[in-house]
Amino acid sequence: MASDHVDVLIIGAGLSGIGAACHLRRDCPDKTYAVLEARDAIGGTWDLFRYPGIRSDSDMFTLGYSFKPWTAPKAIADGTTIREYVRETAREYDVPRHIRFRHRVLRAEWDSDTARWTVHAQRTDTAEIVVLTCSFLFACAGYYRYDEGYTPPLPGVEAYAGRLVHPQHWPDDLDHTGKRVVVIGSGATAVTVVPAMAQRAAHVTMLQRSPTYVLALPARDPLADALRRWLPAKAAYPVVRWKNVLLSTVNFQLSRRAPGLVKRVLRRAARGRLPVGYDVDRHFSPRYDPWDQRLCVAPDGDLFTAVRDGTASVVTDTIDTFTATGVRLASGAQLPADIVVTATGLNLLALGGLTLRVDGVDVDLPNTVAYKGMMLSGVPNFALTLGYTNASWTLKADLVAGYVCRLLRHLDRTGQQVVTPLPPPDAERVPLIDLRSGYVLRAVDTLPKQGATTPWRLHQNYARDVLLMRHGRLTDEGVRFSRAGEMPVPDRTRPPVASERR
Ligand SMILES: Cc1cc2nc3c(=O)[nH]c(=O)nc-3n(C[C@H](O)[C@H](O)[C@H](O)COP(=O)(O)OP(=O)(O)OC[C@H]3O[C@@H](n4cnc5c(N)ncnc54)[C@H](O)[C@@H]3O)c2cc1C
């Protein structure tokens, strides 16, 4: 194993890692690659999460790959269909034979003399350490911890005698038929799980400290349904994809420029789906502006329907304490519960917990600046995939993978081996993820930063990024190309490599 070398090493076999492998196969077929995956399955998020109703909250025409049309009937699709789509794509591009499952990547060390990464992974079944080398390291490890979801302190929880479940670790044996369920949280997971469980439970209560924007959207895309009747999937797909890109961009830009207007529209839409006299302001009108946090989607308004039908209800209050039989609220009200679901979020984790060293110096992630949202200043031959916060993850993942292939071809064409982003010349730094959600704020200090201007600034705008990353120049003031043995970044604070000492 110690002598194993590949041109590109991909970390993670989720939506992004499989997409990256397909891009390599399409654009750089002569490159050797391997995928190291900590789990024993393809799919990442779409294999891990198994809670009732698990589904996308983006449309699959933009959450799908640019090169693989989404042909299933629903635009907002369930987890199983998405998982099967990712697996089918992997099979079509012969990716599975390149994947080494049960390999958790722990650290990677770059050596400028050889222009190689040495990557240390641990087998999750035998604990054996496996060492590989690669010329380019591509982290597609997602953005959160797989082993543990986030649970805030729950006062008095030890007294609770019912089942307490986190959606990230859904037990196979949990039957909620006829049970009283309390779901704590108001994010995308709560908005998904509440109407799904309400179909069989005695009653489901969504207990939230504060409301979230919930937007009802059709689960099927009417334009896609119409076009598919006349056009082959390959022709219909890009049309629907661009229509959805355009709609989400308009929605986001309008939210930024006229938040009051968008608030009113969302409030009116929610009110129209709720019973007459319902306290919309208390339960569905957040204090923050739309897109300060991700908007939640209710396909065909399922959450509103469950509330209207009385199978689910929303309570906006705080927990005083858990009791043996449920939850007592600050208002004094009691919520009896056979099952409590803590839909309280994720623990953000950069690069799947991987640590990096460049020429013997540890990379301090919060001190790095992202270049084009996909490489890190001072870190040679390394890319990471971080999707959009205001649009589908895969739109960005596709662009990043395509850009990596462009870089690799450029290096070959110019006889160089190394590409290293530089930090911006000015000192201004901005958080890499611009959401105000709790899970982002809890981890923002551990993440790389972005700069104030292009190419270090993320614009969260797909059309703009298409121009920048698919058609823009590869050489600019933010990046340095060099040969093996040369110092990748002249002003790095580290000892010079051998070739520079000469
Ligand atoms: C419940 C849920 C619903 C979501 N819905 C949407 C949505 O509708 N639209 C949207 O745009 N986004 C959504 N997201 C965000 C979602 O994570 C992305 O859309 C997408 O699935 C991310 O794909 P990925 O491959 O980058 O990461 P992941 O799906 O997280 O996959 C990462 C893979 O890397 C592996 N890995 C991690 N660390 C290591 C390591 N050190 N060594 C080896 N392997 C490692 C993991 O085991 C995993 O298989 C959702 C997220 C969640 C949790």
Side-chain angles (χ1 to χ4, degrees), residues 10-18 36-39 41-46 49 51 54-60 63 82 103-106 121 140-144 146 168 188-189 294 346 349 351-354 385-388 391-394 397:
I10 298 169
I11 306 172
L15 200 49
S16 306
I18 297 301
L36 296 189
E37 167 55 55
R39 302 177 71 241
I42 288 174
T45 298
W46 303 106
F49 280 84
Y51 57 75
I54 169 74
R55 59 160 171 85
S56 66
D57 54 3
S58 309
D59 71 275
M60 288 307 300
L63 191 59
I82 301 173
H103 282 64
R104 179 184 309 288
V105 181
L106 304 175
C140 297
Y143 63 105
Y144 61 88
Y146 267 62
Q168 195 164 326
T189 301
R294 265 184 96 108
L346 307 163
L349 180 68
L351 308 182
L354 155 78
T385 299
L386 187 65
Y388 290 119
S392 284
W393 182 277
T394 319

Side-chain angles (χ1 to χ4, degrees), residues 46-316:
W46 303 106
D47 184 68
L48 177 74
F49 280 84
R50 302 291 176 125
Y51 57 75
I54 169 74
R55 59 160 171 85
S56 66
D57 54 3
S58 309
D59 71 275
M60 288 307 300
F61 296 94
T62 55
L63 191 59
Y65 300 114
S66 55
F67 53 85
K68 162 94 177 159
W70 176 257
T71 53
K74 284 191 174 174
I76 297 174
D78 62 82
T80 313
T81 315
I82 301 173
R83 183 168 69 241
E84 193 37 48
Y85 169 82
V86 179
R87 288 187 182 168
E88 188 181 286
T89 311
R91 285 194 298 271
E92 275 175 25
Y93 285 85
D94 197 23
V95 179
R97 73 186 177 89
H98 297 270
I99 305 176
R100 300 185 191 186
F101 291 106
R102 295 176 289 275
H103 282 64
R104 179 184 309 288
V105 181
L106 304 175
R107 62 178 213 274
E109 292 162 5
W110 170 261
D111 173 46
S112 289
D113 276 340
T114 54
R116 281 188 174 187
W117 286 101
T118 301
V119 177
H120 298 251
Q122 183 166 36
R123 289 199 60 129
T124 55
D125 47 357
T126 61
E128 180 196 350
I129 297 291
V130 176
V131 182
L132 287 96
T133 59
C134 65
S135 304
F136 197 99
L137 185 60
F138 196 172
C140 297
Y143 63 105
Y144 61 88
R145 269 176 69 169
Y146 267 62
D147 58 339
E148 197 179 37
Y150 175 70
T151 309
L154 300 171
V157 71
E158 24 342 301
Y160 179 56
R163 287 288 291 266
L164 186 72
V165 181
H166 194 287
Q168 195 164 326
H169 309 281
W170 200 264
D172 292 339
D173 66 339
L174 186 65
D175 180 8
H176 61 274
T177 311
K179 300 275 168 50
R180 297 162 305 174
V181 181
V182 170
V183 177
I184 303 174
S186 59
T189 301
V191 166
T192 301
V193 90
V194 167
M197 292 186 86
Q199 290 171 14
R200 282 198 280 128
H203 186 80
V204 183
T205 307
M206 180 163 122
L207 171 60
Q208 57 180 15
R209 215 166 28 185
S210 56
T212 303
Y213 291 107
V214 183
L215 174 66
L217 284 180
R220 292 181 74 119
D221 188 305
L223 178 68
D225 284 350
L227 288 181
R228 279 164 168 176
R229 265 182 247 129
W230 305 105
L231 295 175
K234 270 211 156 77
Y237 185 58
V239 178
V240 184
R241 189 174 167 87
W242 272 104
K243 182 267 290 177
N244 289 354
V245 164
L246 201 71
L247 277 182
S248 64
T249 309
V250 168
N251 170 332
F252 179 75
Q253 291 300 335
L254 202 63
S255 302
R256 281 280 170 263
R257 281 153 215 243
L261 171 72
V262 175
K263 264 183 182 180
R264 284 196 296 281
V265 170
L266 289 170
R267 185 186 178 281
R268 195 169 308 141
R271 198 184 57 195
R273 289 180 172 268
L274 289 163
V276 177
Y278 190 87
D279 194 347
V280 183
D281 288 330
R282 181 168 173 78
H283 303 306
F284 285 97
S285 298
R287 290 185 287 261
Y288 59 85
D289 284 341
W291 282 113
D292 281 353
Q293 299 184 20
R294 265 184 96 108
L295 221 74
C296 290
V297 165
D300 297 329
D302 59 358
L303 177 67
F304 299 113
T305 307
V307 171
R308 210 177 47 229
D309 294 349
T311 54
S313 50
V314 180
V315 171
T316 307

